[in-house]
Amino acid sequence: MPTIVFLHAHPDDEASQTSGSMARAVAEGSRVVVVFATNGDHGEAPDDLGPGESVVDRRRLEAQASAAAIGLHRVAWLGYADSGMTGWEQNSHEGAFVAAPLDEAAARFAALLDEEDADIAVGYDWHGGYGHPDHVRVHEVLHRGAALAARPPRVLESTMNRDAMRRLAESARAAGATDDEVFDPDQPMDDGNPLGEPESAIHWRVDVGAWLDQRRAALQAHASQTSDVGMMLSMPPEVFAVFFGHEHYIEPGREPGMVDGWPFGAPAAS
């Protein structure tokens, strides 16, 4: 079975975006590793920080707890600071992920790929799903790091299915929800682009419905991040299953067309 290395921007991104595929891959016998590009220091500061405990300390503990819930074999860090949202002054701070030279960050990732002799590397689509500078940088580091690896792995890009989210929004409106109550995936995100990618750009829809408990547990591990994680955990079980029952991936170089399948087993035919 393959060794799979997932590169995520911040602690909790793995829980919301790829934890289902991670848990399924572990269950099927793969070695699965998560690498966090940043320490998440611009996340929410919980009220119960202990004496001398920082936000970074807490988020590292939460990342380990999430990894345990998923069953991951290793948690690694590239060692950068959170860069903040588009236009924040933190974008240019010393140590910020987006301020680091691309080849420097990619070399750190490539070294981890080599340590693991990775078969598959996973990051984000071209705009990181919603334009966050750290997510966009993950895309760049994913591809450059894979190219620098001694044995370049297959590359997959996690994304969100904009068309599917639009259909959910239309169903909610048909059921009586107002526009204020419905998330619009076509609205401009952090970089001005809409959320995720259209179905026509996606290659894999992965069924992770059997691993929803692990997905929920991974999110619960990041309890300090009450805004985003709290919103996801507040969903009724049937709604949570609709939103988190499938994950989507782009495979650069693969022929167009989305298929229901599992890209993390034996090498996929194009």
Side-chain angles (χ1 to χ4, degrees):
M1 297 304 291
T3 294
I4 311 165
V5 177
F6 288 78
L7 177 61
H8 279 285
H10 316 98
D12 79 18
D13 289 328
E14 85 294 348
S16 61
Q17 292 187 237
T18 65
S19 54
S21 296
M22 290 170 151
R24 179 173 169 179
V26 169
E28 295 189 3
S30 289
R31 176 173 172 83
V32 184
V33 173
V34 65
V35 178
F36 292 109
T38 80
N39 57 22
D41 57 325
H42 291 316
E44 297 175 73
D47 294 332
D48 63 345
L49 287 177
E53 183 186 18
S54 68
V55 170
V56 171
D57 295 332
R58 177 62 62 87
R59 301 204 74 184
R60 282 180 173 267
L61 289 173
E62 290 179 339
Q64 292 289 348
S66 172
I70 299 167
L72 302 183
H73 297 89
R74 180 185 178 187
V75 177
W77 305 81
L78 289 189
Y80 294 103
D82 190 331
S83 308
M85 304 296 281
T86 299
W88 287 15
E89 64 172 325
Q90 289 91 339
N91 295 172
S92 59
H93 280 191
E94 183 178 357
F97 186 38
V98 298
L102 175 58
D103 278 353
E104 174 198 287
R108 294 186 188 186
F109 184 52
L112 290 166
L113 294 174
D114 289 346
E115 286 178 23
E116 293 293 338
D117 192 24
D119 299 292
I120 303 172
V122 187
Y124 305 147
D125 66 32
W126 67 274
H127 67 122
Y130 70 108
H132 190 298
D134 285 331
H135 286 242
V136 176
R137 197 60 159 175
V138 161
H139 172 83
E140 298 165 349
V141 169
L142 167 72
H143 285 274
R144 181 62 177 146
L148 292 173
R151 186 171 69 89
R154 272 178 68 212
V155 171
L156 294 170
E157 301 171 1
S158 171
T159 190
M160 288 161 276
N161 186 334
R162 189 188 311 150
D163 293 324
M165 296 195 73
R166 188 185 303 112
R167 289 192 291 269
L168 288 173
E170 290 168 353
S171 295
R173 291 189 187 95
T178 66
D179 286 343
D180 290 340
E181 296 171 323
V182 176
F183 175 76
D184 177 11
D186 294 302
Q187 66 184 303
M189 298 289 120
D190 193 52
D191 63 349
N193 290 294
L195 185 75
E197 285 287 272
E199 235 164 50
S200 60
I202 297 171
H203 296 100
W204 298 96
R205 185 174 76 156
V206 176
D207 185 351
V208 295
W211 288 271
L212 288 174
D213 287 347
Q214 286 92 328
R215 297 208 74 178
R216 186 176 288 277
L219 286 165
Q220 289 170 334
H222 294 285
S224 70
Q225 304 307 296
T226 57
S227 295
D228 292 342
V229 171
M231 177 273 294
M232 296 172 194
L233 290 173
S234 69
M235 293 178 179
E238 63 276 10
V239 176
F240 188 88
V242 170
F243 272 88
F244 293 104
H246 290 89
E247 294 173 353
H248 297 84
Y249 296 91
I250 295 168
E251 183 167 0
R254 184 178 169 87
E255 289 296 320
M258 187 178 75
V259 299
D260 289 302
W262 179 239
F264 298 104
S270 60

